[in-house]
Structures are given as structure tokens and as C-alpha cells.
């Protein structure tokens, strides 16, 4: 634990990507509560993302969602980001919000719909080229609501074909991150429901296909750190969509529901080399701030990832390995719980000061007047939201 | 099993209420897929409900949702229903779709919001008076997304106070049905999360307060028929919101996910006297037909409840009781599975013919031209949906 | 539905393997209730299995569990089975009931324990040679109770190594079926927790490694038929351990908890060619009859699999495919529910009579006097149970 | 946070009761791993409990389980405890480990079995009289494995009758704590499955009947702190059986699976007055140390409860209430997470030193030689375990 400088160095290197869509309004199927000052277009979302980076220092990129962030000039958008001190990150296609997709996108029984969906995925690779993005984050809402509605096996075949077409199109330094999700919006069967399905497709596609773990997309009780450890070992962990949940895909702030789980995930990341930039593990947020203000919620989320990472870096690995070798159950577990019990807020405050940042990002944000400014300025026009 | 006439008589008496909102568009937080021909106002919803009754013969009432079904003249709406051969049923208040309700309705920390919510609940009792409705179906979306967000205990106190005010206002023959829900839209804590909470409040309120069981509102693995049996025994089962789910509150067609569970629920109803009109158990549907056509989905749902009820009525109660007394586990279970294995479709076809109906309601609906007619006629205006 | 002869032919070909251990006493961690007449050794278990076959006609093999069924002369045991009209089936190693396995078997941090475990697995292949068995059913209880207790990644490496050693030893016509389990007896992390883990190992091992699906070993809400369809398509479905559950690995009679789920699984089997003997899919029971008599419970279980299979065979595949192609959600679902609603008990009774069996196997068993005989004869000695 | 002396005073007052059975061997249905030095009778269990108290200073009582701790002379046992510096606490009847209880105890269809079970419960009140115990902890394993096996409603009637008979027998200062459990050992329906059932019975019985919350006995996702807050508000929270779980009733060390949940529970306790001795809330452990050494596991468990309580006591209640009133979601949540993030180990070390204890109880236990001594001395005889 004495090696704080190494811990701090690792924390400086860890970058956490914010999602453009989390700055817009979101909600449940029951109601989207509108907030004042939310962005009205991709440019304003990026400005908010840059604000999160300005106060945290470790969120230098922002993921985009197409068509929610569709613009005429993507290199202009990238330039806009750069001007604000950030860059565009992963590109997230959307093949679930047009009426044609009622029965699925790339798995749809209708070949015309599948073609349209694949075309959109390919368009997103074009956008990646334009903005210099490495990662295509593929989440498919495809699935069935009723038994018998469609052939599970045929849909896998269609999925395979579509993924292959997109994979083929990837450039040298580009990757496809295939996200899985237990359920929602499909309520009976989902076409990529679990890490096993994603992994199997990735292995068949090739090294540029990697599994994307959204921490909210699992069956109750699933041990996520096992999946993380397994995928890291197989060099198939593309990255995370971080958020937290008590029940389903609640999309709460990461670490808000079970900070010890987030810590355990980060322990596997640290032990498995996932913090090395060579690992290619992308740390991305994917959240919905339905009732809380969005920018401070994202700042808090970045801090939560940092706190979990800091604690994971404080694990006494030699003591852990030794206790594990000896079969000392309580001792080995105690090494982990000791690290978790440590209050890392002072360490992070120190790190921020060394980085020229305010030690308390949310307080600094509050004092900055940014919140008041966007409420005053962003008047008129339609607030961005899911689907807008 | 020979006593088919008694079975048929019981099936004739069982009325299943349709929900006006199920005829409008619905969806998930990701997308509401629009369908052609959906109603544009309360009058058209009631016309669709009347159509379901016309082909099933056992769905003579339709629940309304305020403000989704707000009209100027409620007795006019009731008259419209009667003219179409149905009547208005339960009144469902809505205290979750206005911006004030971001942090709750009757449990909100702000007394002004609570006052507004209670006023709406009271307004709904006024509407009940106007349309001659017996049941106020109270579902509250109140809850918390984050630990600490509000005081769980204080919210119970506010809930108690609001329910008492509404209970006080109920007329002689009116009831309050208090619905519970495990989660959604609140993701950390819900103010009426389970039957125990609802039951405790009802007992304190008085006999006109009853528990409403929505079959989709439980934790994974919950034994719903236990709850039904318990409440029936205590004369606190006000009724059902029927639907089915694989994961969360999926709102699929009742019986679509687990027909054996629906059967077991109906067995407890039959054994506990819940089919007797004196029991006051209301059988209501509460579903969302996101990807399938709504009217045939509701017809199918009515049929599913009937099939489960018919099978429950076929249980050989004497054999069951005898095997139970003898501790004959396989025998007692076999009595139930024998009834469930029976194909009751012929029996129901026969019943429908005796009632002057087509034995196959969906086929008859298809042939009727109603679907084509509403698609042609309902052009212009905004389709009804959640929130409209 | 007219093609009953093809349905019956398929049902004749479907063989369901009984597990020797289900004839012995079993229970929960709280109590093993002893029953009279339970077998005291492997020979008596096989006699009971032969009895199940005698009355059902489709249970011609019995799986053995080593060391619970350890004998000096395995070919003698095989001969005993043959004399009774059955044969020995899958061999199930046991690497969880010796004190050395407290922290795992093939994943144990101690190399000596791993060596012992692998030696036992290899011994089981020797036994397979001796009795002419095709399948080694590998279920590992390995896992962790506390975070940090051992390295998840190192344990995967050890698992890989052990499986490779055993795979290497398999004969030409032998297979390794790798079973997964969500949890229990490990309460924090299990080393083969899901189908993805099993599948990934099998793919790396080779074609003789196949996934074994125990229907009780999944997270709440898991769509098992998806897994079945996926594995069948990839030729990696080795077979089933059938049972049913409401909560965890309850090991109730297959079909007792959710007969519609069992039907849906069998629909995927039928549609994916899993009933063809070339598919190699093994239908095995793995149950615990804690409070009900064991032999009739197993007869009932065999019947439950048959009923689900018969209904799956009655699915009108042309109508299903056509509705699926047309995007007719209700129509496609209706094809399935129509098959499920059919009462197949008369068809199965007819089939049994054609096979020279009593149409009601449990009644015939009851009349046979076998139950009374074993109670009278099996006196003295220790009743077989888990661990004996 | 400055008021450390009040925090420490509250922590001194909080007593945590250890369970005699946790010192004996335990396991899963698959295997009980035997440990050296485990007690062979009630006297040795109490000696171990006294050891836990000696090093923690806050575990002055030990719950007994009848018949596992049956002795001829209960006042002698109480005297033995006193001599060792502890006292006997709650009495836990056992009506699930005799063959008569195969189909239940007080809910059994056979009146003779019910009578036997009630007699045992009454005998336990006699023992309470003899040892001066306040609490009868009633956990019933009663339930059903198969639908139809018995009448759910009739079983409730039998339960009501039995509880009334026992309640009647309670002395002035005695209480009945009625525990609920989601499932296990019953796999279809449990007769007291949730807090609602327990609460309803307690309310009908009277003030001396209170709900006992075992933290491992809930459906996945259940918000336990809601239940705690609800019951405290209604003066019906009798106490806890603390342990932790990832999946089912895993009975791991309390706080090991989700320390943030334990903290949230303790926050409700603190806010609701549950630490006041007048509240009557009993803090009891109920755990199984299957693979780890038992005494240090129990010491760790006591520490875990203390750490969670200390953090809960550090919550800035004024700031919390103020943020809640203002609807400041992030602020109110932040008050809680700030308290949780605090490292309270130094505070607890200080408290222990003020109490004349070693600041590190486990290290002190290790150095004490007690572990080695019991291994050396407890040779011969049968080790205590579940059922012995």
C-alpha cells in the first residue's frame, strides 16, 4: 500500500468514456421527466462531456450514438470535440427505433429489414473512419416477445451473416464490440442474451471482435467478475458499459447499487492486466439519469469508477496469492476486504491536485456556473432524448 | 369431471374486464411501435372493448384510466359504453406522468405535490360516482432510485395519510384496490413493493380496502398462488391485474409465459370461493401489446383466463382432498396435473355456442372485418398511447 | 396432427436414461428423510431402474455414479443390468465428497488434490471401457464461497489442463459431457457456472466434448430453450440432465414446475433434429425424490418427458414457419400453444399398448407388488443415499 | 462526524448474539466437510461463543438450538455460560429433523404430527423459563414440494392455531420471533415465505409476536431495508438473523456478499431507533462456516456488523434530511455514500482499546492458542453438526 505513486500513475492512465446520450433526457416507459438545460444537439452534448472531463481529468472521450448524434459533417463534429479538449470515442449504431424494426433488425425474418440494418451498421463504420474511432459498439435489441414468434436458430444464422458482413468492413485498427443483454426490450428471448453467445460469435469472427460487458445486462445473481476474468484471460474483453442496477437494466450511476461488486470487477481487471493500454479494455459509461441532474451524475460516476479502481490497485497481491496458495479462505478474503475498506477519497483528492484539478470535482462544477449557464442558454429547440 | 354443466355455468358467470389502455399504442422505453387503426380517444377504446366482448361474451366491462380517458361528460361515456353492450369498470388514477411527480406523488417530500396527487385520486372517486363504478384501482409509481434519496419511513407515513383521505371519500358500495409492484419505474425502493405492504395498509384502512394482485409485479420466483390463497382466506383479495412475464413487468398476454402458473392461481380461486360473486374478486386484464395486434391479443387473453379457469374447475376436489389427507404427494399432485393436461378447448367451444357465440372468437373477429374497418376509419388525429 | 404414426415412431425411438442415485435416499442440507425399500447397493438400484423401464418401455439405460456405485466387477454389473433388460449408461464421476475437495477438485490450489481428482476422472473412463459406456458426465462442484478466496483465472487454467488430460484419454466412441451449474455448493463463484464456459472449453477440447444441460442449473429467468437451440445448431448439445425447479437446483420431477418450458425445450429439440439418433443428444434424468416415493416419481418423470415430446411433435411446423415468415406474432405463437393445449395422454396410452405395455404405467407398477416386495426384502444393511 | 464519543457509546451498547450451531460442522446437501476441534456438545459450543465474546466484547450471549443443544440440566448450562462470561440467548426450536416432519410440522396434514410439533415448541418455552431467555425464534421448514400436495389455505389455519397455542404459553417478558423464508427446504411453497405472512400472523397474535428478519431469506432483489424500516415503524421488528448470500440462503458471513446492503440496513436501524434497547431489536448471527474456520469467521462477522453500524452512525442525519426535503437526489445519496466510504477500522480499534480489548480481535485470537488447544483437546466423541 505504500506504493501510492504507482497507484496514482495507473489512475492517471485510466480513461473513462462518457456517453453522449446520457446528457439528454431519458426515462422509463412510464414517463420521461424533462430537465432544464439539457443539450439540443450533438454539439451541446459534447460540450457537456467536455465539462465532465474538465473537472475529472480522466474522461477525455465521448461515445456517439447514431442517428441520435447524426450531423452533416462528422469531421466537423470531431473538430468541435477537439476544440473543447475531448475526442469522439465509440460509435453506437441504433437499429431499434424505426418502425421496420418491430420484429428485429439483423435477425428480422424480412430480408429487406435485415439489409437496412446492416447498411446502417456499415454506415457507422464510415462514421468511424471519418472521426477516427476505434470501436463499433453493437447492441441489438433483437429478440422475441412470444414463444414460437420466430425461429431462434434461424435468427442466429441471420445474426452470424450480418456480423460477418460488418466485421469484413472494419479497418485495420477498428474493432467490433458485441454487447449482450439478458432481456428488454424483448421479453421472451433475446438474440444475444449472454456473454456466451457474444463470445461464440466473436471467436468465429476473428480477433477484432470482442465482447462488451454492460454491467446491467445480466440475470439476477450473475457473477460478473467471473465473466470479466474469463474474457480477459481469453483476450476477448473489449470493454465495459458501466452502470448499476438493483433489479433489471436500471441504468443507475455505476457503483450506486453495489460498490463492492464494482470493486471486485476492478480487482479482476487489475489482476488480469486490463488496465494496461495494450489490453484494449475500454471503460465506458452507459447510464440514464432519469431524476437526477445529468452532468454531476456523470462526474460522480467517473469518480465511482476511480474509487473502485483505486481500491483494486491497493490490493496486496502478494499477500492475496500467498493466502490463496495456502488455502487460507479468511485470509485471502481479508486481503480483498481490507483494500475495499480503505478510504481512497484522500488519495484521489491528492491525485486531482497533482493533475491541476479541484480535489472535489462536483463542488467545483457547482461553483463554475456551468449549470446555470446552460439553463439560461439552451432555450428553444427540442431537448435531446432517447430517439432525438 | 362429468359435471360439465356446473363448469359451464361457472364459466358463464366469470367476467373479465378489459383495460382501455391496452387498445392504444404501448412499448418499452426504447420504442413505441405504432399500429394502424388504434383508437384516438376513450370512445374508440370502448368500441374496441365492446368488440372483445362481442366475440367472447365474458368481457362486459372496461376499465378506464384517468387522465388518458378524460372526457367532459363521464355519464355520456358510460352511456356510450352501454349503447355498445358494455359498461365502464374500475377507475385507474394516474399520478406518475406529470413533471411534478418526478420524486413521487402521495409520498413526495413536497406537500404541494402530495396535495395535488390526493386531489386527483379524489377526482377519480367523483368519476366513479358519475359512471357507477365500484373499484378505484390505485397503483402508485412512487419510490426511490437511490439509497438515501428520501426517508422510507416518512414516505410510509405520507402514504398512510393519503390513503386514509381517499378511503374516507369512498361511497357505500365503492372499494379501493391497492396494487403493489416489486420495481419499475423506481429502481431502488418502491413505496408499495409487495402484497405485505398493501395488505398492512388495507387492514388499517378497513373492509373497503382490498389488495390488487398484478401477476407481473413480483420478485423472481414468488409463489403467486400462495398470496392469492392467503388473501382470499382473509377476505382481502380485491382482484387481479392479469398479464404474464418472463423477466420483469413484461405485460405480455396472460397465460403466455406460464400457463401452469395461471392454472394454479385459478385453482386457489376455485378452492377459495373466489368465483362466487360474493367474493368480490375482480378479474381484470392489464397488458401491453407492443408488437402484436391489440384486439385479437385481448381476445386471446380472455380465452387464456377461461381455459385456466375451466381446467381449475375440472380439478377433482374430493380426490385432491383425500390424497392430501393421506399425505400422498404424487397422488395429490397428479389430481392437479390431470386437470391441467385436459384439453378444454372443446368444452369452451361448446359453451360459446350455447351462448350464441362463434366457437372460435379470433377467427370470428378476423372474419368480421372490424380490423380493416378501424384501419380505414381511424385516420387523422393522434393515436392513443400511454400518456395520450 | 394426422401423422400419428410418425409421432409414435419418434416417441418409440426416444430413450430416457434414469440415474441410479435417484433410487436412493436424498434430501436437503436440513434433513434426509429415509424411505423404506430403497436400494442398498448398485445392484438393487439397477433392479429399480429396470422396473421403471419395464413399465415405461423407453428407459432402457441407467447412469451410474462413482463411487456411489463402485463395485469390484464392473462387467459383472453390466451383465446384471442386461439380465434385467437394461444397460449401463453414462458414468458420473464424483469429485466433491471427500475431505480433500473442500476447496475444489481439478481447480484446487493444491496440485496433489488436482492430481487425485484427475486420477478419479480417468478411473471413470476405465469403467466406461469396462461397461461399454459412451458418455462421461462431468459435473464439478468446484468454486469459491468468498471473494478473493482463490484466483478465478488460475482456476480456469487448472480446469483447462485437467479437462485436456481426461479428453486425451477418451476412446474413439466416447464423449465428455461438461455440465455447468449456476451455483451450489459454491456460493460466490462457480468454475463452470454457465453454458458459455462449458461451450468455450468444449470447443477448445474437440468434437468429443459436448455441453450437458441440467435444466435446474440456471440463473432465474434464463431462457433454456435458447441455449438448447444454440448448442444444437453448433453440434455441441451432448444431452440433458432433466429435472425441474421453482427456485434453485430443486431437483424436482421434470415437468413438475413448468411443463410449458419443458415443451418449449422439446420443440427446439424436434425442430433442431435433436431426436435423430445421429444428433447424439442424451436424455437423462437427474432428480431427487426427497419426500415422494422414488420409483413412481421416476415413472412419472419419464411420462412427463414423453408428453412434452409428443406435444412438440404435434407442432404444425409448416404453419409455424409460414406465420414466422409473415411476421404473424399471434399466429406463430398460436401454433405452439395449440400443440401444447392438446391432451396427448390418449396418444401415449395407445402407443404403450402397441408396445405391449400397460397404458397407465404408474397404476401397473402399483398393481405389480414391486413396492411391497422391496420393502419386505430390503431389510438390514444401509440404504443407499448421496454419499453411500 | 465529530461526535465520536456518541458513536462509540452506541457501539458499546450494541450486542450481537452468536448461534451455538455455527460452531459445529455444517455443509451443503452435497457434503459436510469436517473440521478439527469443533465442539462435541453444548458446553463446548458455549465455550467457543465465550471466546468470540472475549475478543470482541460485544457478543455476550449465545442462542441455543433444541434438540441440538439438549442437556439434562438447563440451569446448569446457563450457569456454565455465566461462568464463561456469557449468557444463553434465544431458544431455537427444531421441528424439521425427525422423520415425522417429512410433510411439515405445525402445518402437517396429520394432527398427531402437529401435536408433537406444538409440544416441542412448548417445551422450548419451558427451557426459556429455565434459562431466563426472552426470545423464542420460530423458524418452520414447513412447505410443499409439489403443487396440490396439500392445501395452502388449510395449512395457514393450522399454522394460526399452533402459533396461538404457543403464544398463549409465553411469559410476561417473553416474545415469539416468527422467521420467514423464501424457500428451502420446501421447493414449491413455503408456509411462512415472506415478511407479509409473518407480520399478518404477528399482528393477530399480539404484541409479544414479532417478525424475525433473516437477511438470507428473501427473493432475489428484495429490498431488505424497506422491510426493516416498515417493521420498525410498526414496532414489529423483533430482530435479525444476520448472514449474507449471493444466490439463495447461502449463510455466508454477514457483510461478506454486499457490505453496502448491510450498511443500508443499519442506517434504517439507526434512523428508526432500532439501536435503543427499548426497541427490542435483537441482533443475532445465523451462519454456516462450511469451508472456513468457525471461530475466526464468527469474530469477523461480529466485526462486520460493527463496521456497518459504525458507518450508519456516522451518517450526517441533518444533512440527509435537508437534502431529502429539498429533493436533492444526488446530495441525499451522497450523504449516505460519504458515510459508507469512511474507513471505520481505526475508530473500532480505538473503541476496543478503550474496552480493554485487543484492537485486532482475529490476530489476538490467533495468538491466544485457543485454536490449537481445542484441536488437541477435542478428540474422540462425535463433532457437533446440524442434527447432532
Amino acid at each position: 500500500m505504500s506504493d501510492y505513486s504507482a497507484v496514482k500513475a495507473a489512475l492517471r492512465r485510466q480513461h473513462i468514456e462518457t456517453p453522449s446520450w446520457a446528457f439528454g433526457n431519458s426515462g422509463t416507459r412510464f414517463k420521461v421527466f424533462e430537465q432544464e438545460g439539457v443539450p439540443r444537439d450533438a454539439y451541446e452534448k459534447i460540450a457537456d462531456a467536455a465539462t465532465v472531463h474538465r473537472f475529472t481529468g480522466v474522461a477525455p472521450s465521448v461515445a456517439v450514438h447514431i442517428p441520435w448524434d447524426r450531423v452533416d459533417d462528422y469531421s466537423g463534429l470531431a473538430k468541435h470535440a477537439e476544440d473543447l479538449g475531448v475526442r469522439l470515442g465509440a460509435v453506437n449504431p441504433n437499429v431499434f427505433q424505426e418502425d421496420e424494426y418491430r420484429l428485429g433488425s439483423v435477425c428480422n425474418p424480412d430480408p429487406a429489414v435485415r439489409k437496412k440494418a446492416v447498411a446502417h451498421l456499415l454506415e457507422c463504420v464510415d462514421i468511424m473512419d471519418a472521426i477516427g474511432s476505434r470501436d463499433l459498439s453493437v447492441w441489438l435489441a433483437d429478440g422475441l416477445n412470444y414463444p414460437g414468434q420466430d425461429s431462434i436458430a434461424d435468427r442466429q444464422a441471420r445474426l452470424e451473416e450480418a456480423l460477418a458482413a460488418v466485421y469484413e468492413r472494419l479497418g485495420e485498427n477498428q474493432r467490433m464490440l458485441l454487447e449482450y443483454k439478458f432481456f428488454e426490450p424483448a421479453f421472451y428471448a433475446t438474440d444475444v442474451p449472454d456473454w456466451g453467445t457474444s463470445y461464440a460469435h466473436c471467436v468465429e469472427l476473428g480477433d477484432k471482435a470482442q465482447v462488451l460487458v454492460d454491467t446491467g445486462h445480466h440475470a439476477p445473481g450473475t457473477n460478473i467478475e467471473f465473466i470479466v476474468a474469463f474474457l480477459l484471460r481469453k483476450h476477448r474483453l473489449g470493454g465495459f458499459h458501466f452502470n448499476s442496477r438493483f433489479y433489471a437494466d436500471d441504468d443507475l450511476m455505476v457503483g450506486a447499487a453495489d460498490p463492492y461488486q464494482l470493486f471486485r470487477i476492478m480487482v479482476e481487471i487489475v489482476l488480469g492486466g486490463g488496465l494496461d493500454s495494450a489490453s484494449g479494455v475500454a471503460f465506458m459509461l452507459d447510464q440514464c439519469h432519469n431524476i437526477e441532474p445529468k452532468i454531476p451524475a456523470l462526474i460522480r460516476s467517473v469518480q465511482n469508477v476511480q474509487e473502485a479502481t483505486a481500491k483494486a490497485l491497493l490490493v496486496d497481491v502478494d499477500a492475496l496469492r500467498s493466502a490463496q496458495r495456502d488455502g487460507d479462505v479468511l485470509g485471502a478474503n481479508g486481503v480483498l476486504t481490507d483494500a475495499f475498506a480503505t478510504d481512497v477519497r484522500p488519495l484521489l483528492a491528492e491525485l486531482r491536485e497533482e493533475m491541476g484539478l479541484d480535489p472535489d470535482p462536483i463542488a467545483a462544477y457547482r461553483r463554475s456556473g456551468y449549470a446555470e449557464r446552460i439553463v439560461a442558454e439552451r432555450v428553444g429547440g427540442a431537448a435531446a432524448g432517447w430517439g432525438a
Side-chain angles (χ1 to χ4, degrees), chain A:
Chain A
M1 275 205 23
S2 61
D3 194 5
Y4 280 166
S5 65
V7 169
K8 286 185 199 161
L11 289 167
R12 267 177 195 254
R13 280 195 309 269
Q14 185 190 36
H15 288 165
I16 298 152
E17 185 162 301
T18 52
S20 71
W21 54 96
F23 297 99
N25 285 320
S26 62
T28 68
R29 60 177 172 142
F30 294 101
K31 169 70 177 169
V32 173
F33 293 104
E34 310 236 336
Q35 296 187 10
E36 289 184 295
V38 303
R40 293 159 302 175
D41 58 27
Y43 297 91
E44 291 181 354
K45 290 183 207 167
I46 288 166
D48 288 359
T51 303
V52 171
H53 180 51
R54 187 176 135 212
F55 291 103
T56 62
V58 294
S61 66
V62 50
V64 294
H65 207 290
I66 309 298
W68 298 344
D69 296 321
R70 183 164 279 154
V71 293
D72 289 332
D73 173 15
Y74 286 100
S75 45
L77 191 70
K79 177 67 170 52
H80 170 74
E82 264 170 60
D83 291 347
L84 293 170
V86 292
R87 61 185 168 70
L88 302 184
V91 173
N92 291 254
N94 178 320
V95 283
F96 54 88
Q97 282 191 325
E98 287 167 78
D99 281 327
E100 288 94 331
Y101 297 139
R102 185 172 54 94
L103 303 179
S105 65
V106 300
C107 302
N108 198 298
D110 181 344
V113 178
R114 299 202 293 273
K115 201 173 161 189
K116 176 186 158 103
V118 170
H120 176 64
L121 296 173
L122 295 174
E123 177 203 358
C124 285
V125 186
D126 293 342
I127 295 171
M128 291 166 70
D129 288 343
I131 64 174
S133 171
R134 181 187 62 173
D135 292 334
L136 183 72
S137 291
V138 179
W139 174 62
L140 301 168
D142 287 60
L144 310 174
N145 272 9
Y146 290 102
Q149 178 189 325
D150 199 0
S151 161
I152 292 172
D154 287 359
R155 291 176 77 94
Q156 284 298 312
R158 296 169 200 151
L159 174 62
E160 213 168 82
E161 194 183 322
L163 293 177
V166 178
Y167 187 86
E168 189 73 10
R169 166 69 184 81
L170 292 174
E172 187 94 4
N173 297 310
Q174 292 177 336
R175 309 188 304 174
M176 175 198 289
L177 306 184
L178 184 56
E179 192 168 351
Y180 57 91
K181 186 172 183 182
F182 185 49
F183 84 101
E184 196 211 20
F187 292 132
Y188 159 62
T190 295
D191 291 310
V192 189
D194 53 21
W195 77 267
T197 307
S198 177
Y199 177 80
H201 281 285
C202 287
V203 167
E204 291 182 12
L205 286 166
D207 286 347
K208 291 188 286 188
Q210 299 269 309
V211 180
L212 180 57
V213 176
D214 183 298
T215 46
H217 287 191
H218 300 86
T222 300
N223 184 321
I224 300 175
E225 58 267 31
F226 175 90
I227 297 171
V228 168
F230 189 98
L231 292 174
L232 256 182
R233 190 173 168 267
K234 291 290 179 188
H235 309 293
R236 287 286 175 184
L237 179 63
F240 291 95
H241 268 183
F242 277 131
N243 50 58
S244 76
R245 51 75 69 89
F246 288 94
Y247 303 99
D249 185 32
D250 306 339
D251 279 335
L252 301 175
M253 297 185 297
V254 57
D258 186 350
Y260 188 46
Q261 181 189 56
L262 181 59
F263 163 74
R264 296 193 309 263
I265 289 172
M266 292 314 304
V267 168
E268 292 305 326
I269 287 293
V270 167
L271 296 175
L275 283 185
D276 307 344
S277 61
S279 77
V281 177
F283 301 99
M284 303 181 282
L285 301 176
D286 180 10
Q287 306 180 155
C288 292
H289 307 297
N290 297 347
I291 61 167
E292 69 273 23
K294 293 150 205 311
I295 294 173
L298 282 156
I299 293 175
R300 169 87 64 90
S301 303
V302 169
Q303 290 180 273
N304 285 354
V305 174
Q306 285 188 296
E307 290 181 19
T309 306
K311 290 180 180 196
L313 287 161
L314 291 179
V315 168
D316 183 338
V317 179
D318 290 340
L320 180 71
R321 292 307 184 209
S322 164
Q324 289 176 341
R325 258 193 315 271
D326 295 349
D328 176 3
V329 175
L330 289 175
N333 174 248
V335 173
L336 241 62
T337 58
D338 274 344
F340 183 67
T342 308
D343 189 343
V344 295
R345 292 173 303 171
L347 171 69
L348 284 163
E350 214 175 280
L351 170 67
R352 286 186 195 109
E353 290 188 317
E354 289 169 17
M355 292 171 73
L357 298 167
D358 191 288
D360 183 343
I362 288 189
Y365 168 74
R366 291 247 159 84
R367 283 194 311 269
S368 73
Y370 188 86
E372 292 74 14
R373 189 146 24 100
I374 57 178
V375 168
E377 287 176 3
R378 293 175 183 173
V379 174
W386 284 35

